[in-house]
Amino acid sequence: MCQHQPPCPTSDSADREAARLVAHHPEQGWSLLCNGVLLFEDTGELLPDGQIIAPHRPILAMTAA
């Protein structure tokens, strides 16, 4: 799928989010990566094979003042 050199990470690799943007629609909350991954603003993902990756934002530690 990717024609870049060096090629983008594949959709099944751990660093798949490092692929180049093909389409970016922040007003709709999603981006399409070169490897076919749909990346949503909540950090959820939809892989080309239909697999859903749940949002994985870092959890901020609550500190008592």
Side-chain angles (χ1 to χ4, degrees):
M1 180 180 263
C2 178
Q3 301 300 316
H4 304 110
Q5 290 300 324
C8 291
T10 62
S11 62
D12 59 352
S13 67
D15 61 344
R16 65 180 156 260
E17 295 173 15
R20 291 188 187 185
L21 286 174
V22 173
H24 182 59
H25 295 277
E27 72 282 0
Q28 296 176 2
W30 62 271
S31 298
L32 175 63
L33 303 180
C34 182
N35 55 11
V37 173
L38 276 173
L39 181 62
F40 297 96
E41 69 179 9
D42 69 353
T43 68
E45 301 172 23
L46 179 60
L47 303 184
D49 65 1
Q51 182 181 356
I52 297 169
I53 306 296
H56 47 278
R57 287 185 176 164
I59 298 173
L60 300 175
M62 298 296 288
T63 58

